[in-house]
Amino acid sequence: MTVFFISVSELRDIEVNTEVFSHGSFPNETPFSVEMKETEAFRVLGSADRQILLHELVRADEGMAEEELARRVAARRHRTSPDSLGEEDIERAHIRLAHFHFPLLRDLRIIEQNEDEVCLTESERRDQLLEAAAELDEWPYALPYSSRPRGSE
């Protein structure tokens, strides 16, 4: 049996390559065009976590702390209130955001991060992504918190 070890940065590169850069280029090799192709936008929107993240940032209309975004994403993903979440749920959401979704959206120039705050950029690419999101039947992906207890679905 052969065991392969992969670093978090290599894993991130794999995620970036397979989700958005399927043509084989890496984000740092080729400068981005100002325009976002529709197929690229829908690949970005293919993740429920990214849809929720983007919707929360649009709804807030300002920057938001990473921890608060993680709490909101976890709550909407589990369709429960933020108060009903365990710390483990929030931590898992924060790890997914910090290691996969924030870097991808930052590389695409959709979000900006400074210290612990995340905000949407003022860019044409962001506008094109949000226009594509508006075309989705279920944008935002998950409805706001449900009053149903977790696991009763």
Side-chain angles (χ1 to χ4, degrees):
M1 174 184 209
T2 305
V3 177
F4 294 97
F5 293 95
I6 188 164
S7 70
V8 172
S9 64
E10 290 171 319
L11 186 60
R12 186 183 142 262
D13 287 341
I14 291 168
E15 166 110 353
V16 168
N17 272 341
T18 58
E19 284 197 13
V20 177
F21 303 98
S22 59
H23 52 76
S25 68
F26 287 87
N28 298 330
E29 289 180 351
T30 309
F32 285 83
S33 66
V34 173
E35 188 172 318
M36 177 179 273
K37 294 179 183 174
E38 193 173 78
T39 56
E40 183 180 23
F42 286 118
R43 278 192 205 113
V44 171
L45 295 167
S47 163
D49 283 349
R50 280 195 295 269
Q51 285 187 33
I52 295 168
L53 163 68
L54 291 167
H55 186 256
E56 288 296 332
L57 288 172
V58 166
R59 224 166 60 163
D61 197 30
E62 60 184 18
M64 191 178 292
E66 284 184 24
E67 187 66 28
E68 180 60 22
L69 271 171
R71 177 179 297 283
R72 290 183 184 197
V73 167
R76 290 181 65 182
R77 189 172 222 248
H78 294 292
R79 296 180 184 250
T80 189
S81 72
D83 298 333
S84 302
L85 291 171
E87 286 302 313
E88 190 175 291
D89 295 325
I90 297 166
E91 182 63 24
R92 278 196 307 264
H94 191 258
I95 289 169
R96 286 192 311 274
L97 293 174
H99 292 282
F100 297 109
H101 305 305
F102 291 156
L104 176 69
L105 294 171
R106 214 178 33 244
D107 288 347
L108 291 171
R109 297 182 181 103
I110 303 300
I111 64 167
E112 293 174 345
Q113 280 181 284
N114 56 9
E115 296 181 29
D116 281 342
E117 190 171 275
V118 179
C119 64
L120 290 170
T121 61
E122 295 290 330
S123 69
E124 187 174 330
R125 291 176 66 80
R126 186 237 20 216
D127 293 342
Q128 291 166 336
L129 181 63
L130 295 178
E131 285 172 16
E135 292 179 29
L136 298 175
D137 290 335
E138 295 186 28
W139 168 256
Y141 171 80
L143 299 173
Y145 322 118
S146 166
S147 58
R148 290 181 292 195
R150 188 173 177 183
S152 67
E153 298 174 358

